[in-house]
Amino acid sequence: MQTASALDNVSIVLVRTKTPGNIGAVARSMMNMGLSRLVLVRPPRDPAGDMGKFAAGAEALIANALLCRSLQEALAGHQLVIGTSRRRSRQRKNVRTPRALAEAVVPLLGSNRIAVVFGPEVDGLEKSDLALCQEIVAIPSADAFPSLNLSHAVMVVAYELFVAALGTALAAQGPLADAEDLERFYGHLQGTLERIGFLDRDSYCERDRMMFSLRQLFGRARPEPRDISILRGILTAIDRRAR
Ligand code: SAH
């Protein structure tokens, strides 16, 4: 079935989850909505077997989950990285609802792998985690109590992806540059901008803020591998001149 194969390219990435039962409940939500790829970054121990209890039949998803030490490691091989956060930041312009996200990404799923990243209970994703995300999804919720339970947040996003995938013919969108290529490009860009004096090596705060804005800008463009090669070529030419 076409829907199933498209959704196979969605990874749900849980970062530093604290409560084992939540991981079980996430697995259940995912299986309900036809998702199967679960990635766990530094998951908690589960002495009471809560993961299995809350998975209620979706244990296989946890058994097959990929375990990672860092978010960066978890994102390898993904072309599009979506963070989830209820908080609004003035720096972020591309914050969408799960529905808008699902409509935009489902046509890409034929040839791209997408990671949706969820943070730990209470604290949510850190700034350094969010910097690795090209877009942010915020689930609209009541101002007085905006934070959802982790597995409920996964369910809302998974449901919208499932509905958007129903009956959507896969568009002929080529593969996008993956997260590792993008990180190499941002490293190169930062080095070049420091070399030519556009970024101040010593002013970390200002430099990181500018790099964050540039990540947003390039993230919105959804570059393909060829676009990244062109940009790297331009940077190499600038490096040569600057020397
Ligand atoms: N207090 C934290 C929320 C932690 S809830 C915060 O302000 O970010 C755990 C995770 O559930 C979050 O990291 C996020 O991935 C997801 N989540 C909870 N409520 C959400 C919402 N309204 N929109 C998007 N993601 C949400």
Side-chain angles (χ1 to χ4, degrees):
M1 193 171 103
Q2 202 163 40
T3 301
S5 64
L7 293 177
D8 283 347
N9 279 334
V10 176
S11 302
I12 298 294
V13 182
L14 303 184
V15 179
R16 302 183 299 276
T17 307
K18 295 204 171 70
T19 312
N22 272 338
I23 294 180
V26 165
R28 181 178 185 172
S29 303
M30 287 175 63
M31 206 161 155
N32 284 148
M33 294 299 137
L35 301 180
S36 56
R37 281 180 177 275
L38 177 60
V39 184
L40 303 173
V41 178
R42 300 173 59 186
R45 276 198 287 269
D46 184 24
D50 282 347
M51 286 192 201
K53 278 180 220 155
F54 282 85
E59 294 85 348
L61 240 109
I62 301 172
N64 293 329
L66 188 67
L67 301 180
C68 296
R69 298 287 309 158
S70 70
L71 177 56
Q72 215 143 2
E73 183 190 332
L75 297 179
H78 293 87
Q79 282 80 20
L80 202 56
V81 181
I82 314 295
T84 56
S85 173
R86 68 170 182 83
R87 273 174 291 194
R88 311 210 178 275
S89 124
R90 256 183 295 131
Q91 269 197 332
R92 285 274 182 189
K93 288 172 193 73
N94 48 348
V95 177
R96 303 205 232 200
T97 63
R99 186 161 304 172
L101 171 88
E103 280 162 11
V105 303
V106 163
L108 305 176
L109 286 176
S111 44
N112 293 286
R113 192 163 279 178
I114 292 177
V116 192
V117 184
F118 294 83
E121 303 88 339
V122 187
D123 293 336
L125 291 168
E126 286 174 6
K127 235 182 142 183
S128 58
D129 301 320
L130 291 169
L132 299 173
C133 301
Q134 290 145 14
E135 289 182 34
I136 296 297
V137 163
I139 301 167
S141 53
D143 281 343
F145 197 49
S147 187
L148 278 72
N149 166 270
L150 175 62
S151 72
H152 297 179
V154 171
M155 180 48 122
V156 172
V157 173
Y159 167 76
E160 291 293 353
L161 287 168
F162 187 79
V163 172
L166 283 176
T168 303
L170 297 182
Q173 160 79 49
L176 303 175
D178 66 24
E180 287 156 306
D181 281 345
L182 283 174
E183 286 312 308
R184 273 192 289 270
F185 163 65
Y186 292 131
H188 191 169
L189 179 64
Q190 180 173 331
T192 302
L193 294 179
E194 285 175 355
R195 218 164 291 129
I196 63 173
F198 179 78
L199 287 181
D200 186 350
R201 274 198 184 93
D202 302 322
S203 172
Y204 299 114
C205 188
E206 203 178 304
R207 188 194 66 190
D208 289 354
R209 205 173 313 133
M210 178 57 74
M211 284 310 299
F212 191 82
S213 297
L214 290 169
R215 281 167 174 272
Q216 304 292 296
L217 173 67
F218 287 109
R220 281 200 297 279
R222 300 247 171 85
E224 296 179 7
R226 188 181 130 75
D227 301 322
I228 292 296
S229 305
I230 294 170
L231 289 167
R232 294 285 299 267
I234 293 171
L235 292 175
T236 302
I238 296 172
D239 292 341
R240 221 178 290 127
R241 272 301 183 112
R243 235 176 262 132

